[in-house]
Coordinates of all heavy atoms in Angstrom, one line a residue:
M1 N -10.2 -25.1 13.2 CA -9.1 -24.3 13.8 C -8.6 -23.2 12.9 O -8.4 -22.2 13.3 CB -8.1 -25.3 14.4 CG -7.0 -24.6 15.1 SD -7.5 -24.4 16.8 CE -6.1 -24.0 17.6
S2 N -8.5 -23.6 11.6 CA -7.9 -22.6 10.7 C -8.9 -21.4 10.6 O -8.4 -20.3 10.4 CB -7.7 -23.3 9.3 OG -7.3 -22.4 8.4
A3 N -10.2 -21.7 10.6 CA -11.2 -20.6 10.4 C -11.0 -19.7 11.5 O -11.2 -18.5 11.3 CB -12.6 -21.1 10.2
L4 N -10.8 -20.2 12.7 CA -10.7 -19.4 14.0 C -9.5 -18.5 13.8 O -9.5 -17.3 14.1 CB -10.7 -20.2 15.2 CG -10.6 -19.6 16.5 CD1 -11.8 -18.7 16.7 CD2 -10.4 -20.5 17.6
F5 N -8.4 -19.0 13.4 CA -7.2 -18.3 13.2 C -7.4 -17.1 12.1 O -6.9 -16.1 12.3 CB -6.0 -19.2 12.8 CG -4.7 -18.5 12.6 CD1 -4.0 -18.0 13.7 CD2 -4.3 -18.1 11.3 CE1 -2.8 -17.2 13.5 CE2 -3.1 -17.4 11.1 CZ -2.4 -16.9 12.2
D6 N -8.0 -17.6 10.9 CA -8.3 -16.6 10.0 C -9.1 -15.3 10.5 O -8.8 -14.2 10.1 CB -9.0 -17.2 8.8 CG -8.0 -18.1 8.0 OD1 -6.8 -18.1 8.2 OD2 -8.6 -19.0 7.2
A7 N -10.1 -15.7 11.3 CA -10.9 -14.7 11.9 C -10.1 -13.7 12.8 O -10.3 -12.5 12.8 CB -12.1 -15.3 12.6
A8 N -9.3 -14.3 13.6 CA -8.4 -13.6 14.5 C -7.4 -12.7 13.7 O -7.2 -11.5 14.1 CB -7.7 -14.5 15.4
A9 N -6.9 -13.2 12.6 CA -5.9 -12.4 11.7 C -6.6 -11.3 11.2 O -6.1 -10.2 11.1 CB -5.3 -13.4 10.7
Q10 N -7.9 -11.5 10.6 CA -8.6 -10.4 10.1 C -8.9 -9.3 11.1 O -8.9 -8.2 10.8 CB -10.0 -10.9 9.4 CG -9.8 -11.6 8.2 CD -9.7 -10.6 7.0 OE1 -9.6 -9.5 7.1 NE2 -9.8 -11.2 5.8
S11 N -9.3 -9.8 12.3 CA -9.7 -8.9 13.4 C -8.5 -8.0 13.8 O -8.5 -6.8 14.0 CB -10.2 -9.6 14.6 OG -10.5 -8.8 15.7
L12 N -7.3 -8.7 13.9 CA -6.1 -8.0 14.4 C -5.8 -6.9 13.2 O -5.3 -5.8 13.6 CB -5.0 -8.9 14.6 CG -3.6 -8.3 15.0 CD1 -3.8 -7.5 16.3 CD2 -2.5 -9.4 15.2
L13 N -5.8 -7.3 12.0 CA -5.4 -6.4 10.9 C -6.3 -5.2 10.9 O -6.0 -4.1 10.6 CB -5.5 -7.2 9.6 CG -5.1 -6.4 8.4 CD1 -3.6 -5.9 8.4 CD2 -5.3 -7.2 7.1
G14 N -7.6 -5.5 11.2 CA -8.6 -4.4 11.3 C -8.3 -3.5 12.3 O -8.3 -2.2 12.1
D15 N -7.8 -3.9 13.4 CA -7.4 -3.1 14.6 C -6.1 -2.2 14.2 O -6.1 -1.1 14.4 CB -7.1 -3.9 15.8 CG -8.3 -4.6 16.4 OD1 -9.4 -4.1 16.1 OD2 -8.1 -5.5 17.2
V16 N -5.2 -2.9 13.5 CA -4.0 -2.2 13.1 C -4.3 -1.0 12.2 O -3.9 0.1 12.3 CB -2.9 -3.2 12.5 CG1 -1.8 -2.4 11.9 CG2 -2.4 -4.1 13.6
H17 N -5.1 -1.4 11.1 CA -5.4 -0.4 10.2 C -6.4 0.7 10.7 O -6.4 1.8 10.4 CB -6.1 -0.9 8.9 CG -5.1 -1.4 7.9 ND1 -4.8 -0.6 6.8 CD2 -4.1 -2.4 7.9 CE1 -3.8 -1.2 6.1 NE2 -3.4 -2.3 6.8
G18 N -7.2 0.3 11.7 CA -8.1 1.2 12.5 C -7.3 2.2 13.2 O -7.6 3.4 13.3
F19 N -6.2 1.8 13.8 CA -5.2 2.7 14.6 C -4.3 3.5 13.8 O -4.2 4.7 14.0 CB -4.6 1.8 15.7 CG -3.8 2.6 16.7 CD1 -4.5 3.4 17.7 CD2 -2.4 2.7 16.6 CE1 -3.7 4.2 18.6 CE2 -1.7 3.5 17.5 CZ -2.4 4.2 18.5
F20 N -3.6 2.8 12.9 CA -2.5 3.4 12.1 C -3.0 4.0 10.7 O -2.3 4.9 10.2 CB -1.3 2.5 11.9 CG -0.6 2.1 13.2 CD1 -0.7 0.9 13.7 CD2 0.2 3.1 13.8 CE1 -0.1 0.6 14.8 CE2 0.9 2.8 14.9 CZ 0.7 1.5 15.5
G21 N -4.0 3.3 10.2 CA -4.5 3.7 8.9 C -5.2 5.1 8.9 O -5.7 5.6 9.9
K22 N -5.2 5.7 7.7 CA -5.8 7.0 7.5 C -6.8 6.9 6.4 O -6.7 6.2 5.4 CB -4.8 8.1 7.1 CG -3.7 8.2 8.2 CD -2.7 9.2 7.8 CE -1.7 9.4 9.0 NZ -0.6 10.2 8.7
A23 N -7.9 7.5 6.6 CA -9.0 7.5 5.6 C -8.6 8.0 4.2 O -8.0 9.1 4.2 CB -10.3 8.3 6.1
A24 N -8.7 7.3 3.2 CA -8.3 7.7 1.9 C -9.3 7.1 0.9 O -10.3 6.7 1.2 CB -6.9 7.1 1.7
S25 N -8.9 7.3 -0.5 CA -9.6 6.7 -1.5 C -8.7 6.2 -2.5 O -7.5 6.6 -2.6 CB -10.6 7.6 -2.2 OG -10.0 8.6 -2.8
Y26 N -9.2 5.2 -3.2 CA -8.3 4.5 -4.4 C -9.1 4.7 -5.6 O -10.3 4.3 -5.7 CB -8.0 3.1 -4.0 CG -7.4 2.4 -5.3 CD1 -6.1 2.8 -5.6 CD2 -8.1 1.6 -6.1 CE1 -5.4 2.2 -6.8 CE2 -7.5 1.0 -7.2 CZ -6.2 1.3 -7.5 OH -5.6 0.8 -8.6
T27 N -8.5 5.2 -6.6 CA -9.1 5.3 -8.0 C -8.2 4.5 -9.0 O -7.1 4.8 -9.2 CB -9.2 6.8 -8.4 OG1 -9.9 7.5 -7.4 CG2 -9.9 6.9 -9.7
P28 N -8.9 3.4 -9.6 CA -8.1 2.6 -10.5 C -7.9 3.5 -11.8 O -8.5 4.5 -12.0 CB -9.0 1.4 -10.7 CG -10.4 1.9 -10.3 CD -10.2 2.9 -9.3
P29 N -6.9 2.9 -12.7 CA -6.7 3.6 -13.8 C -7.9 4.0 -14.7 O -8.0 5.0 -15.4 CB -5.7 2.7 -14.7 CG -5.1 2.0 -13.6 CD -6.1 1.8 -12.5
S30 N -8.9 3.1 -14.7 CA -10.2 3.3 -15.3 C -11.3 2.8 -14.4 O -11.4 1.6 -14.3 CB -10.3 2.7 -16.7 OG -10.2 1.3 -16.6
G31 N -12.0 3.7 -13.7 CA -13.0 3.3 -12.8 C -13.4 4.4 -11.8 O -13.0 5.5 -11.9
T32 N -14.2 4.0 -10.9 CA -14.6 5.0 -9.9 C -13.8 4.8 -8.6 O -13.4 3.7 -8.2 CB -16.1 4.8 -9.6 OG1 -16.4 3.4 -9.2 CG2 -16.9 5.1 -10.9
P33 N -13.8 6.0 -7.8 CA -13.1 5.8 -6.5 C -13.7 4.9 -5.5 O -14.9 4.8 -5.5 CB -13.1 7.2 -6.0 CG -13.4 8.0 -7.2 CD -14.2 7.2 -8.1
V34 N -13.0 4.3 -4.6 CA -13.5 3.5 -3.5 C -12.8 3.9 -2.3 O -11.6 4.2 -2.3 CB -13.2 2.0 -3.8 CG1 -11.9 1.7 -4.2 CG2 -13.7 1.1 -2.7
A35 N -13.5 4.1 -1.2 CA -13.1 4.5 0.1 C -12.3 3.4 0.8 O -12.6 2.1 0.6 CB -14.2 4.9 1.1
C36 N -11.2 3.7 1.4 CA -10.3 2.7 2.1 C -9.6 3.4 3.1 O -9.6 4.6 3.3 CB -9.4 2.1 1.0 SG -8.3 3.2 0.2
K37 N -8.8 2.6 3.9 CA -7.8 3.1 4.9 C -6.5 2.6 4.5 O -6.3 1.5 4.2 CB -8.1 2.6 6.4 CG -9.2 3.4 7.0 CD -9.2 3.1 8.5 CE -10.1 4.2 9.1 NZ -10.0 4.1 10.5
I38 N -5.5 3.5 4.5 CA -4.2 3.2 4.1 C -3.1 3.5 5.1 O -3.3 4.3 6.0 CB -3.8 3.9 2.8 CG1 -3.7 5.4 2.9 CG2 -4.6 3.4 1.6 CD1 -3.3 6.2 1.7
V39 N -2.0 2.7 5.1 CA -0.9 3.0 5.9 C 0.3 3.4 4.9 O 0.5 2.6 4.0 CB -0.5 1.8 6.8 CG1 0.8 2.1 7.6 CG2 -1.6 1.4 7.7
V40 N 0.8 4.6 5.1 CA 1.8 5.1 4.2 C 3.1 5.2 4.9 O 3.3 5.6 6.1 CB 1.5 6.6 3.8 CG1 2.6 7.1 2.8 CG2 0.1 6.6 3.1
D41 N 4.2 4.6 4.2 CA 5.6 4.7 4.8 C 6.5 5.2 3.7 O 6.2 4.9 2.5 CB 5.9 3.2 5.3 CG 7.1 3.2 6.2 OD1 7.6 4.4 6.6 OD2 7.5 2.2 6.6
A42 N 7.7 5.6 4.1 CA 8.6 6.0 3.2 C 9.4 4.7 2.6 O 9.5 3.8 3.3 CB 9.7 6.9 3.7
A43 N 9.7 4.7 1.3 CA 10.3 3.6 0.7 C 11.8 3.9 0.7 O 12.2 5.0 0.4 CB 9.7 3.3 -0.7
D44 N 12.6 2.9 0.7 CA 14.0 3.0 0.5 C 14.3 2.5 -0.9 O 14.9 1.4 -1.1 CB 14.7 2.2 1.6 CG 16.3 2.4 1.5 OD1 16.7 3.4 1.0 OD2 17.0 1.6 2.0
D45 N 13.9 3.2 -1.9 CA 14.0 2.9 -3.2 C 15.3 3.5 -3.8 O 15.3 4.7 -4.1 CB 12.8 3.2 -4.1 CG 12.8 2.7 -5.4 OD1 13.3 1.6 -5.6 OD2 12.2 3.4 -6.3
R46 N 16.3 2.7 -4.0 CA 17.6 3.3 -4.4 C 17.7 2.9 -6.0 O 17.4 1.8 -6.4 CB 18.8 2.7 -3.7 CG 18.6 3.2 -2.3 CD 19.8 2.6 -1.4 NE 19.6 3.0 0.0 CZ 20.0 4.2 0.5 NH1 20.6 5.0 -0.3 NH2 19.9 4.4 1.7
A47 N 18.5 3.8 -6.6 CA 18.9 3.6 -8.0 C 20.3 4.0 -8.2 O 20.8 4.9 -7.5 CB 18.0 4.4 -9.0
Q48 N 21.0 3.4 -9.1 CA 22.4 3.7 -9.3 C 22.7 4.1 -10.7 O 22.2 3.5 -11.6 CB 23.3 2.6 -8.9 CG 24.8 2.9 -9.0 CD 25.6 1.8 -8.3 OE1 25.1 0.7 -7.9 NE2 27.0 2.1 -8.2
L49 N 23.4 5.3 -10.9 CA 23.7 5.7 -12.2 C 25.3 5.9 -12.2 O 25.8 6.7 -11.4 CB 23.1 6.9 -12.6 CG 23.4 7.6 -13.9 CD1 23.0 6.7 -15.1 CD2 22.7 8.9 -14.1
L50 N 26.0 5.1 -12.9 CA 27.5 5.0 -12.9 C 27.9 4.7 -11.5 O 27.5 3.7 -11.0 CB 28.0 6.3 -13.4 CG 27.7 6.7 -14.9 CD1 28.2 8.1 -15.2 CD2 28.2 5.6 -15.8
S51 N 28.6 5.5 -10.8 CA 28.9 5.2 -9.4 C 28.2 6.1 -8.3 O 28.5 6.1 -7.2 CB 30.5 5.5 -9.2 OG 30.8 6.9 -9.5
T52 N 27.0 6.8 -8.7 CA 26.3 7.6 -7.9 C 25.0 6.9 -7.5 O 24.3 6.4 -8.4 CB 26.0 8.9 -8.6 OG1 27.3 9.5 -8.9 CG2 25.3 9.8 -7.6
N53 N 24.7 6.9 -6.2 CA 23.4 6.3 -5.8 C 22.4 7.4 -5.6 O 22.7 8.5 -5.2 CB 23.6 5.6 -4.4 CG 24.3 4.3 -4.5 OD1 24.0 3.6 -5.5 ND2 25.1 3.9 -3.5
F54 N 21.2 7.1 -6.0 CA 20.1 8.1 -5.9 C 19.0 7.4 -5.0 O 18.7 6.2 -5.2 CB 19.5 8.5 -7.2 CG 20.5 9.2 -8.1 CD1 21.2 8.5 -9.0 CD2 20.6 10.7 -8.0 CE1 22.1 9.2 -9.9 CE2 21.5 11.3 -8.8 CZ 22.3 10.5 -9.8
V55 N 18.3 8.2 -4.2 CA 17.2 7.7 -3.4 C 15.9 8.4 -4.0 O 15.8 9.7 -3.9 CB 17.4 7.8 -1.9 CG1 16.1 7.4 -1.2 CG2 18.6 7.2 -1.4
A56 N 15.0 7.6 -4.5 CA 13.8 8.2 -5.0 C 12.9 8.5 -3.9 O 12.9 7.9 -2.8 CB 13.1 7.2 -6.0
G57 N 12.0 9.5 -4.0 CA 11.1 10.0 -3.0 C 9.8 9.2 -3.0 O 8.8 9.7 -2.9
R58 N 9.9 7.8 -3.1 CA 8.7 7.0 -3.2 C 8.2 6.7 -1.9 O 8.8 6.8 -0.8 CB 9.0 5.8 -4.0 CG 9.5 6.1 -5.4 CD 9.3 5.0 -6.3 NE 9.2 5.4 -7.7 CZ 9.7 4.7 -8.7 NH1 10.2 3.6 -8.6 NH2 9.6 5.2 -9.9
R59 N 6.9 6.2 -1.9 CA 6.2 5.8 -0.7 C 5.7 4.3 -0.8 O 5.4 4.0 -1.9 CB 5.1 6.8 -0.4 CG 5.5 8.2 -0.1 CD 6.1 8.4 1.2 NE 6.5 9.8 1.4 CZ 7.6 10.3 1.1 NH1 8.6 9.6 0.5 NH2 7.9 11.6 1.4
I60 N 5.6 3.7 0.3 CA 4.9 2.4 0.3 C 3.6 2.6 0.9 O 3.4 3.2 2.0 CB 5.7 1.3 1.1 CG1 7.1 1.1 0.5 CG2 4.9 0.1 1.3 CD1 8.0 0.2 1.2
V61 N 2.5 2.2 0.1 CA 1.2 2.3 0.7 C 0.6 0.9 0.9 O 0.7 0.1 0.0 CB 0.2 3.1 -0.4 CG1 -1.2 3.1 0.1 CG2 0.7 4.6 -0.6
E62 N 0.1 0.6 2.1 CA -0.5 -0.7 2.4 C -2.0 -0.5 2.5 O -2.4 0.4 3.2 CB 0.1 -1.3 3.6 CG 1.6 -1.7 3.4 CD 2.1 -2.4 4.6 OE1 1.5 -2.3 5.7 OE2 3.1 -3.0 4.5
V63 N -2.7 -1.4 1.9 CA -4.2 -1.3 2.0 C -4.8 -2.8 2.1 O -4.2 -3.7 1.5 CB -4.8 -0.6 0.8 CG1 -4.5 -1.3 -0.6 CG2 -6.2 -0.4 0.9
R64 N -5.8 -2.9 2.8 CA -6.4 -4.2 3.1 C -7.1 -4.8 1.7 O -7.8 -3.9 1.0 CB -7.3 -4.3 4.1 CG -6.7 -4.1 5.5 CD -7.7 -4.2 6.6 NE -8.6 -3.0 6.6 CZ -9.6 -2.8 7.4 NH1 -9.8 -3.8 8.3 NH2 -10.2 -1.7 7.5
K65 N -6.9 -6.0 1.4 CA -7.6 -6.6 0.2 C -9.1 -6.5 0.3 O -9.8 -6.5 -0.6 CB -7.1 -8.0 0.0 CG -5.8 -8.1 -0.6 CD -5.4 -9.5 -0.9 CE -4.1 -9.7 -1.6 NZ -3.8 -11.2 -1.9
S66 N -9.6 -6.5 1.6 CA -11.0 -6.5 1.8 C -11.6 -5.1 1.4 O -12.8 -5.0 1.2 CB -11.4 -6.8 3.3 OG -10.8 -5.8 4.2
E67 N -10.7 -4.1 1.3 CA -11.2 -2.8 0.9 C -10.9 -2.4 -0.5 O -11.7 -1.8 -1.2 CB -10.5 -1.6 1.8 CG -11.0 -1.8 3.2 CD -10.3 -0.8 4.1 OE1 -9.1 -0.4 3.9 OE2 -11.0 -0.2 5.0
V68 N -9.7 -2.9 -1.0 CA -9.4 -2.7 -2.4 C -9.0 -4.0 -3.0 O -7.9 -4.6 -2.6 CB -8.2 -1.6 -2.6 CG1 -7.8 -1.5 -4.0 CG2 -8.5 -0.3 -2.0
G69 N -9.8 -4.6 -3.9 CA -9.7 -5.9 -4.3 C -8.5 -6.1 -5.2 O -7.8 -7.1 -5.1
A70 N -8.1 -5.2 -6.1 CA -7.0 -5.4 -7.0 C -6.5 -4.0 -7.4 O -6.8 -3.5 -8.5 CB -7.5 -6.2 -8.2
P71 N -5.6 -3.4 -6.6 CA -5.0 -2.2 -7.1 C -4.2 -2.4 -8.3 O -3.7 -3.6 -8.4 CB -4.2 -1.7 -5.8 CG -4.0 -2.9 -5.0 CD -5.1 -3.8 -5.4
A72 N -3.9 -1.4 -9.1 CA -3.1 -1.7 -10.3 C -2.1 -0.5 -10.6 O -2.3 0.6 -10.1 CB -4.1 -1.8 -11.5
K73 N -1.1 -0.8 -11.3 CA -0.1 0.3 -11.7 C -0.9 1.3 -12.4 O -1.8 1.1 -13.3 CB 0.8 -0.4 -12.6 CG 2.0 0.7 -13.1 CD 2.9 -0.1 -14.0 CE 4.0 0.9 -14.5 NZ 5.0 0.3 -15.4
G74 N -0.7 2.6 -12.0 CA -1.4 3.7 -12.6 C -2.6 4.2 -11.7 O -3.1 5.2 -12.0
G75 N -3.0 3.3 -10.8 CA -4.0 3.8 -9.9 C -3.5 4.8 -8.9 O -2.4 5.0 -8.7
V76 N -4.5 5.5 -8.3 CA -4.1 6.6 -7.4 C -4.8 6.6 -6.1 O -6.0 6.3 -5.9 CB -4.5 7.9 -8.0 CG1 -4.1 9.2 -7.1 CG2 -3.8 8.2 -9.4
F77 N -3.9 6.7 -5.0 CA -4.6 6.7 -3.6 C -4.6 8.2 -3.3 O -3.5 8.9 -3.4 CB -3.6 6.0 -2.6 CG -3.7 4.5 -2.7 CD1 -2.8 3.8 -3.4 CD2 -4.8 3.8 -2.1 CE1 -2.8 2.4 -3.5 CE2 -4.8 2.5 -2.2 CZ -3.8 1.7 -2.9
A78 N -5.7 8.7 -2.8 CA -5.8 10.1 -2.4 C -6.0 10.2 -0.9 O -6.8 9.5 -0.3 CB -7.0 10.8 -3.1
L79 N -5.1 11.0 -0.2 CA -5.2 11.1 1.2 C -5.1 12.6 1.6 O -4.1 13.2 1.4 CB -3.9 10.4 1.8 CG -3.7 10.5 3.3 CD1 -4.9 9.9 4.1 CD2 -2.4 9.9 3.7
G80 N -6.3 13.2 1.8 CA -6.4 14.6 2.0 C -6.0 15.3 0.7 O -6.4 15.0 -0.4
A81 N -5.0 16.3 0.9 CA -4.5 17.0 -0.3 C -3.4 16.2 -1.0 O -3.0 16.6 -2.1 CB -4.0 18.4 0.1
A82 N -2.9 15.1 -0.5 CA -1.9 14.4 -1.0 C -2.4 13.2 -1.9 O -3.5 12.7 -1.7 CB -0.9 13.8 0.0
S83 N -1.6 12.8 -2.9 CA -2.1 11.7 -3.8 C -0.8 10.9 -4.0 O 0.3 11.4 -4.2 CB -2.8 12.1 -5.0 OG -1.9 12.8 -5.8
F84 N -1.0 9.6 -4.2 CA 0.2 8.7 -4.5 C -0.2 7.8 -5.7 O -1.3 7.0 -5.6 CB 0.4 7.8 -3.2 CG 0.6 8.6 -2.0 CD1 -0.5 8.8 -1.2 CD2 1.8 9.0 -1.6 CE1 -0.3 9.6 0.0 CE2 2.1 9.8 -0.5 CZ 1.0 10.1 0.3
V85 N 0.6 7.8 -6.7 CA 0.3 7.1 -7.9 C 1.2 5.7 -7.8 O 2.3 5.7 -7.6 CB 0.8 7.8 -9.2 CG1 0.6 7.0 -10.5 CG2 0.0 9.2 -9.3
V86 N 0.5 4.7 -8.1 CA 1.0 3.3 -8.0 C 2.0 3.1 -9.2 O 1.5 3.3 -10.3 CB -0.1 2.2 -8.0 CG1 0.6 0.8 -7.9 CG2 -1.0 2.4 -6.9
V87 N 3.3 2.8 -9.0 CA 4.3 2.8 -10.0 C 4.6 1.4 -10.6 O 5.4 1.3 -11.4 CB 5.4 3.6 -9.7 CG1 5.1 5.1 -9.6 CG2 6.2 3.1 -8.5
S88 N 4.2 0.4 -9.8 CA 4.6 -1.0 -10.2 C 3.5 -1.9 -9.8 O 2.6 -1.6 -9.0 CB 5.9 -1.5 -9.5 OG 5.8 -1.4 -8.1
S89 N 3.5 -3.1 -10.2 CA 2.4 -4.1 -9.8 C 2.5 -4.3 -8.2 O 3.5 -4.5 -7.7 CB 2.7 -5.5 -10.5 OG 2.6 -5.3 -11.8
P90 N 1.3 -4.1 -7.6 CA 1.3 -4.3 -6.2 C 1.6 -5.7 -5.8 O 1.3 -6.7 -6.6 CB -0.2 -4.0 -5.8 CG -0.7 -3.1 -6.9 CD 0.0 -3.6 -8.2
R91 N 2.1 -5.9 -4.5 CA 2.5 -7.2 -4.0 C 1.7 -7.6 -2.9 O 1.1 -6.7 -2.1 CB 4.0 -7.2 -3.6 CG 5.0 -6.8 -4.6 CD 6.4 -6.9 -4.0 NE 6.6 -6.6 -2.7 CZ 6.9 -5.4 -2.1 NH1 7.1 -4.4 -2.9 NH2 7.0 -5.3 -0.9
S92 N 1.5 -8.8 -2.6 CA 0.9 -9.3 -1.4 C 1.8 -10.3 -0.8 O 1.8 -11.5 -1.0 CB -0.5 -10.0 -1.8 OG -1.1 -10.4 -0.6
D93 N 2.7 -9.8 0.1 CA 3.7 -10.5 0.7 C 3.4 -11.1 2.1 O 4.3 -11.9 2.6 CB 5.0 -9.6 0.9 CG 5.5 -9.2 -0.5 OD1 5.4 -9.9 -1.5 OD2 6.2 -8.1 -0.5
D94 N 2.3 -10.6 2.7 CA 2.0 -11.1 4.1 C 1.6 -12.6 4.0 O 1.1 -13.0 3.0 CB 0.9 -10.2 4.7 CG -0.4 -10.4 4.1 OD1 -0.6 -9.9 2.9 OD2 -1.3 -10.8 4.7
P95 N 1.9 -13.4 5.1 CA 1.6 -14.8 5.0 C 0.1 -15.1 4.7 O -0.1 -16.2 4.1 CB 2.1 -15.4 6.3 CG 2.9 -14.2 7.0 CD 2.5 -13.0 6.3
D96 N -0.7 -14.4 5.2 CA -2.2 -14.6 5.0 C -2.8 -14.0 3.8 O -4.0 -14.2 3.6 CB -3.0 -14.2 6.3 CG -2.5 -15.0 7.5 OD1 -2.4 -16.3 7.4 OD2 -2.2 -14.3 8.5
G97 N -2.0 -13.2 3.1 CA -2.6 -12.6 1.8 C -3.7 -11.7 2.0 O -4.6 -11.6 1.3
L98 N -3.6 -10.8 3.1 CA -4.7 -9.9 3.5 C -4.4 -8.5 3.1 O -5.3 -7.7 3.1 CB -4.9 -9.9 5.0 CG -5.3 -11.3 5.6 CD1 -5.3 -11.3 7.2 CD2 -6.6 -11.8 5.0
V99 N -3.1 -8.1 2.8 CA -2.8 -6.8 2.5 C -2.0 -6.6 1.2 O -1.2 -7.5 0.7 CB -1.8 -6.3 3.6 CG1 -1.3 -4.9 3.3 CG2 -2.5 -6.3 5.0
W100 N -2.4 -5.5 0.4 CA -1.6 -5.2 -0.7 C -0.5 -4.2 -0.3 O -0.8 -3.3 0.4 CB -2.5 -4.4 -1.8 CG -3.5 -5.3 -2.5 CD1 -4.8 -5.4 -2.3 CD2 -3.1 -6.3 -3.5 NE1 -5.4 -6.3 -3.2 CE2 -4.4 -7.0 -3.8 CE3 -2.0 -6.9 -4.0 CZ2 -4.4 -8.0 -4.8 CZ3 -2.0 -7.8 -5.0 CH2 -3.2 -8.4 -5.4
T101 N 0.6 -4.4 -0.9 CA 1.8 -3.4 -0.7 C 2.0 -2.7 -2.0 O 2.3 -3.5 -3.1 CB 3.1 -4.1 -0.2 OG1 2.7 -4.8 1.0 CG2 4.1 -3.1 0.0
C102 N 1.9 -1.4 -2.2 CA 2.0 -0.7 -3.3 C 3.1 0.3 -3.3 O 3.2 1.2 -2.4 CB 0.7 0.0 -3.7 SG -0.7 -1.0 -3.6
L103 N 4.2 0.2 -4.2 CA 5.1 1.2 -4.4 C 4.5 2.4 -5.2 O 4.1 2.2 -6.3 CB 6.4 0.7 -5.1 CG 7.5 1.6 -5.2 CD1 8.0 2.0 -3.7 CD2 8.7 1.0 -6.0
C104 N 4.6 3.7 -4.5 CA 3.9 4.8 -5.2 C 4.8 6.0 -5.2 O 5.8 6.1 -4.4 CB 2.8 5.1 -4.3 SG 1.5 4.0 -4.1
D105 N 4.6 6.9 -6.2 CA 5.2 8.2 -6.3 C 4.2 9.2 -5.7 O 3.0 9.3 -6.1 CB 5.4 8.6 -7.7 CG 6.8 8.0 -8.3 OD1 7.7 7.6 -7.5 OD2 6.9 7.8 -9.5
P106 N 4.7 10.1 -4.8 CA 3.8 11.2 -4.3 C 3.6 12.2 -5.4 O 4.5 12.4 -6.2 CB 4.5 11.7 -3.1 CG 5.9 11.2 -3.2 CD 6.0 10.0 -4.2
Q107 N 2.4 12.7 -5.5 CA 2.1 13.8 -6.4 C 1.9 15.1 -5.7 O 1.4 15.2 -4.7 CB 0.9 13.5 -7.3 CG 1.1 12.1 -8.0 CD 2.0 12.2 -9.1 OE1 2.0 13.1 -10.0 NE2 3.1 11.4 -9.0

């Protein structure tokens, strides 16, 4: 039963990334680029200095683990003319561990 659920989760995730994802590439800090589909969203990354709040212009990039096995800090996602540099260790917060969530700075 678990294998059936895992296959359904993979299929649904493929559909979501197929619809919302955009063709991109990921280049690790040292290595060759790999093609992938990413979903990009604005991050609500806030910092505080004394009593003033700042909102950084960061982005959240989500990519399937089946496409990018191990993104790393310093890696770059390229999407057309835009690029996004991974600024912290990627997280895998989804319950099935199928997606990497990367906090990125746009370049």
Side-chain angles (χ1 to χ4, degrees):
M1 185 80 166
S2 178
L4 182 59
F5 180 79
D6 289 346
Q10 283 278 12
S11 177
L12 181 60
L13 183 62
D15 291 344
V16 168
H17 272 257
F19 186 74
F20 294 108
K22 297 181 180 172
S25 66
Y26 171 73
T27 304
S30 60
T32 58
V34 50
C36 59
K37 278 198 169 186
I38 61 174
V39 176
V40 181
D41 195 6
D44 187 18
D45 189 30
R46 297 182 182 273
Q48 186 171 5
L49 179 62
L50 299 175
S51 62
T52 304
N53 286 321
F54 296 93
V55 178
R58 293 199 162 149
R59 300 288 182 268
I60 295 173
V61 174
E62 292 185 342
V63 63
R64 292 185 286 179
K65 285 186 175 181
S66 62
E67 294 181 321
V68 177
K73 183 177 178 181
V76 178
F77 289 97
L79 175 63
S83 61
F84 305 95
V85 178
V86 180
V87 295
S88 63
S89 295
R91 301 182 331 261
S92 182
D93 296 336
D94 66 294
D96 297 312
L98 302 175
V99 176
W100 287 112
T101 301
C102 306
L103 183 61
C104 298
D105 277 341
Q107 297 296 301

